Amino acid sequence: MALPATFWQKFGTLAQMAQAAVALLGFVAILFQINEIRSNNRAVAARQAFLAYTDLAFKNPKFSSPDYAAIKAGGHDLQVQYESFVSYFLYACEEAFAAFSDRREWLASCDYDLKPHLPFLCEKNQSEPTYLATYGTVTQDWVKKSFISASVMPPDCKLGKT
């Protein structure tokens, strides 16, 4: 027959349960902390990408406010530079959308900068439909909606009146 538990045996059991509860709370806190670090890292990376794009736009005003007809007439090298500029811009916006999906000012900033590039993107989408597929679905949808809102349609791909 088992002997009744003494006070210390019961206290020891309570201490073990308390220790397990504290360990579980610590584990949950670590998971929250890891998630917060991941979120902060994504935000920092998005800010750095957008800052680098802004610096690139400052150094290349011919691309940030493009005369697309002049760029097309400027030769292959100029066209490749411009395509790389637009690709970096789309990448920076994609990062910003992923990191700051709840903050509309990032979308507004990207919308503002996207409009002058829509004729190029329309032509690029016509000639190489896989170009936009290299970006996430959020970016693809954003660019396609921008085509509609700015009245940029094939075959001429010129900015309409909005």
Side-chain angles (χ1 to χ4, degrees):
M1 178 164 206
L3 296 172
T6 65
F7 169 75
W8 294 109
Q9 289 172 328
K10 289 181 184 178
F11 184 72
T13 304
L14 288 175
Q16 290 169 347
M17 289 190 299
Q19 184 179 15
V22 168
L24 183 61
L25 286 173
F27 182 72
V28 169
I30 288 171
L31 291 178
F32 279 122
Q33 191 173 21
I34 289 170
N35 190 43
E36 189 65 25
I37 289 169
R38 183 180 297 130
S39 177
N40 287 342
N41 284 345
R42 179 158 226 165
V44 167
R47 282 187 179 97
Q48 287 175 338
F50 204 84
L51 184 61
Y53 156 72
T54 303
D55 184 54
L56 193 61
F58 178 77
K59 291 176 181 175
N60 296 283
K62 66 182 179 264
F63 296 146
S64 60
S65 183
D67 177 355
Y68 186 51
I71 290 171
K72 287 195 302 189
H76 178 72
D77 289 349
L78 190 61
Q79 290 175 25
V80 169
Q81 286 178 319
Y82 178 63
E83 182 177 334
S84 294
F85 178 87
V86 173
S87 293
Y88 197 92
F89 163 67
L90 292 176
Y91 166 74
C93 286
E94 187 168 61
E95 287 297 308
F97 295 160
F100 308 113
S101 61
D102 59 335
R103 297 183 54 198
R104 298 280 307 148
E105 65 270 16
W106 286 94
L107 178 59
S109 180
C110 287
D111 277 342
Y112 182 82
D113 287 354
L114 176 66
K115 190 172 181 178
H117 305 296
L118 289 173
F120 162 74
L121 289 168
C122 178
E123 285 186 15
K124 189 71 170 175
N125 197 40
Q126 284 276 133
S127 64
E128 296 177 49
T130 57
Y131 175 76
L132 280 179
T134 62
Y135 299 96
T137 56
V138 171
T139 303
Q140 291 176 42
D141 292 342
W142 168 61
V143 170
K144 290 174 183 174
K145 287 177 186 173
S146 297
F147 286 153
I148 294 166
S149 68
S151 301
V152 176
M153 300 293 168
D156 64 348
C157 290
K158 297 202 183 304
L159 282 171
K161 293 184 180 182
T162 55

